[in-house]
PDB file of all heavy atoms in Angstrom:
ATOM      1  N   GLY U   8      -2.624  11.118   7.447  1.00 83.00           N
ATOM      2  CA  GLY U   8      -3.872  11.638   7.986  1.00 83.00           C
ATOM      3  C   GLY U   8      -4.751  10.580   8.631  1.00 83.00           C
ATOM      4  O   GLY U   8      -5.757  10.915   9.253  1.00 83.00           O
ATOM      5  N   TYR U  26       5.743  -2.848  19.292  1.00 93.00           N
ATOM      6  CA  TYR U  26       5.918  -3.868  18.255  1.00 93.00           C
ATOM      7  C   TYR U  26       4.626  -4.662  18.049  1.00 93.00           C
ATOM      8  O   TYR U  26       4.272  -4.994  16.913  1.00 93.00           O
ATOM      9  CB  TYR U  26       7.076  -4.807  18.612  1.00 93.00           C
ATOM     10  CG  TYR U  26       7.372  -5.792  17.521  1.00 93.00           C
ATOM     11  CD1 TYR U  26       7.944  -5.373  16.322  1.00 93.00           C
ATOM     12  CD2 TYR U  26       7.042  -7.145  17.659  1.00 93.00           C
ATOM     13  CE1 TYR U  26       8.193  -6.273  15.295  1.00 93.00           C
ATOM     14  CE2 TYR U  26       7.290  -8.044  16.638  1.00 93.00           C
ATOM     15  CZ  TYR U  26       7.865  -7.609  15.466  1.00 93.00           C
ATOM     16  OH  TYR U  26       8.102  -8.497  14.451  1.00 93.00           O
ATOM     17  N   ALA U  27       3.889  -4.920  19.125  1.00 95.00           N
ATOM     18  CA  ALA U  27       2.608  -5.631  19.000  1.00 95.00           C
ATOM     19  C   ALA U  27       1.591  -4.792  18.227  1.00 95.00           C
ATOM     20  O   ALA U  27       0.746  -5.326  17.508  1.00 95.00           O
ATOM     21  CB  ALA U  27       2.067  -6.005  20.376  1.00 95.00           C
ATOM     22  N   ALA U  39      -1.384  -5.818   4.268  1.00 90.00           N
ATOM     23  CA  ALA U  39      -1.251  -4.657   3.380  1.00 90.00           C
ATOM     24  C   ALA U  39      -0.531  -3.486   4.052  1.00 90.00           C
ATOM     25  O   ALA U  39       0.094  -2.682   3.375  1.00 90.00           O
ATOM     26  CB  ALA U  39      -2.622  -4.198   2.890  1.00 90.00           C
ATOM     27  N   ARG U  56       0.711  12.529  24.469  1.00 97.00           N
ATOM     28  CA  ARG U  56       0.808  13.943  24.876  1.00 97.00           C
ATOM     29  C   ARG U  56      -0.546  14.642  24.810  1.00 97.00           C
ATOM     30  O   ARG U  56      -0.829  15.528  25.614  1.00 97.00           O
ATOM     31  CB  ARG U  56       1.803  14.694  23.994  1.00 97.00           C
ATOM     32  CG  ARG U  56       3.234  14.561  24.402  1.00 97.00           C
ATOM     33  CD  ARG U  56       4.139  15.567  23.697  1.00 97.00           C
ATOM     34  NE  ARG U  56       3.922  15.684  22.271  1.00 97.00           N
ATOM     35  CZ  ARG U  56       4.500  14.919  21.340  1.00 97.00           C
ATOM     36  NH1 ARG U  56       5.336  13.974  21.694  1.00 97.00           N
ATOM     37  NH2 ARG U  56       4.242  15.109  20.065  1.00 97.00           N
ATOM     38  N   LEU U  60      -4.042   8.589  24.587  1.00 98.00           N
ATOM     39  CA  LEU U  60      -3.467   7.330  25.058  1.00 98.00           C
ATOM     40  C   LEU U  60      -2.790   7.573  26.396  1.00 98.00           C
ATOM     41  O   LEU U  60      -2.368   8.685  26.696  1.00 98.00           O
ATOM     42  CB  LEU U  60      -2.398   6.808  24.083  1.00 98.00           C
ATOM     43  CG  LEU U  60      -2.804   6.396  22.689  1.00 98.00           C
ATOM     44  CD1 LEU U  60      -1.574   5.904  21.913  1.00 98.00           C
ATOM     45  CD2 LEU U  60      -3.872   5.323  22.722  1.00 98.00           C
ATOM     46  N   GLU U  63       2.299   2.810  30.238  1.00 95.00           N
ATOM     47  CA  GLU U  63       2.979   2.380  31.456  1.00 95.00           C
ATOM     48  C   GLU U  63       3.980   1.310  31.082  1.00 95.00           C
ATOM     49  O   GLU U  63       3.862   0.670  30.028  1.00 95.00           O
ATOM     50  CB  GLU U  63       1.979   1.856  32.487  1.00 95.00           C
ATOM     51  CG  GLU U  63       1.153   0.695  32.016  1.00 95.00           C
ATOM     52  CD  GLU U  63       0.054   0.328  33.011  1.00 95.00           C
ATOM     53  OE1 GLU U  63      -0.342   1.179  33.815  1.00 95.00           O
ATOM     54  OE2 GLU U  63      -0.386  -0.822  32.957  1.00 95.00           O
ATOM     55  N   GLY U  69       9.230 -11.408  29.282  1.00 88.00           N
ATOM     56  CA  GLY U  69      10.513 -11.245  29.938  1.00 88.00           C
ATOM     57  C   GLY U  69      11.237  -9.950  29.624  1.00 88.00           C
ATOM     58  O   GLY U  69      12.346  -9.729  30.102  1.00 88.00           O
ATOM     59  N   GLY U  97     -17.856   7.405   1.850  1.00 92.00           N
ATOM     60  CA  GLY U  97     -19.087   7.514   1.072  1.00 92.00           C
ATOM     61  C   GLY U  97     -18.992   8.570  -0.016  1.00 92.00           C
ATOM     62  O   GLY U  97     -19.405   8.348  -1.159  1.00 92.00           O
ATOM     63  N   LEU U 103     -16.011   8.068  -7.300  1.00 92.00           N
ATOM     64  CA  LEU U 103     -15.245   7.087  -8.067  1.00 92.00           C
ATOM     65  C   LEU U 103     -16.102   6.026  -8.748  1.00 92.00           C
ATOM     66  O   LEU U 103     -15.662   5.421  -9.721  1.00 92.00           O
ATOM     67  CB  LEU U 103     -14.225   6.390  -7.155  1.00 92.00           C
ATOM     68  CG  LEU U 103     -13.106   7.280  -6.615  1.00 92.00           C
ATOM     69  CD1 LEU U 103     -12.205   6.481  -5.696  1.00 92.00           C
ATOM     70  CD2 LEU U 103     -12.304   7.894  -7.752  1.00 92.00           C
TER      71      LEU U 103
END
Side-chain angles (χ1 to χ4, degrees):
Y26 185 70
R56 277 193 314 273
L60 295 180
E63 59 187 23
L103 294 178

